Amino acid sequence: MAAGRPGARATGFTTVELVVTLVIIGILAAIALPRFQDSTAFTQRGFYDEVKAALRYAQKLAIAKRREVCVDFPPGQVVLTFNPTTVSGAACTSAVNLPGQSAPYVVNVPAGIALVPSANFRFNGLGQPTPAPVTVSLTGRALPITVAAETGHVSN
């Protein structure tokens, strides 16, 4: 019983409850903190997934528009454009916009990451890459992206 009022209960945490809570927080911090400190690997994986999604979008757009969609790798970027004509091999002069937006589809390479494309390439109206096959990878990690020759399937 709490001192002061008869019938009143003491409230708060016991020493055992506080110690157990602190131990659990310490274990979680020991496991989770190193994962958050390795931001380079996290950034690399995020960028890898973003480039893979851009390549898949380019292929799907080429099939949907029945136009060639070009994937270019200027320094520090991945840029998607498309050929507005039906002439195969003509220049890709129209910007591909982000889905549902008017901004061009450009993926910027984060600092400290190097993107190694085999070459600029394009998807034809059937979704096949030219030249084929295509491999894009990040330096320093075994994260290749391969675009199959016959189907244009983007995989890792």
Side-chain angles (χ1 to χ4, degrees):
M1 296 252 166
R5 292 188 320 184
R9 292 193 62 198
T11 59
F13 295 107
T14 65
T15 305
V16 172
E17 290 172 331
L18 289 174
V19 169
V20 169
T21 302
L22 290 175
V23 168
I24 291 172
I25 290 172
I27 291 170
L28 290 175
I31 293 170
L33 194 58
R35 293 189 183 271
F36 289 116
Q37 289 177 341
D38 189 13
S39 63
T40 304
F42 182 77
T43 303
Q44 281 181 336
R45 184 59 194 210
F47 176 66
Y48 169 80
D49 290 339
E50 194 173 1
V51 170
K52 198 161 71 168
L55 297 179
R56 287 180 175 159
Y57 181 69
Q59 186 213 20
K60 304 290 187 227
L61 189 65
I63 294 169
K65 287 186 172 278
R66 286 288 196 203
R67 299 278 189 270
E68 292 178 318
V69 175
C70 296
V71 180
D72 297 318
F73 300 96
Q77 292 181 324
V78 179
V79 179
L80 302 182
T81 55
F82 73 94
N83 176 356
T85 70
T86 57
V87 178
S88 180
C92 292
T93 56
S94 297
V96 170
N97 291 333
L98 288 165
Q101 299 180 20
S102 60
Y105 203 128
V106 176
V107 179
N108 292 310
V109 180
I113 296 176
L115 182 66
V116 183
S118 53
N120 294 341
F121 68 97
R122 60 181 63 206
F123 288 101
N124 64 18
L126 298 175
Q128 300 165 324
T130 304
V134 177
T135 301
V136 178
S137 60
L138 303 180
T139 59
R141 293 200 63 197
L143 294 174
I145 302 169
T146 303
V147 182
E150 290 298 317
T151 62
H153 177 69
V154 178
S155 65
N156 46 342

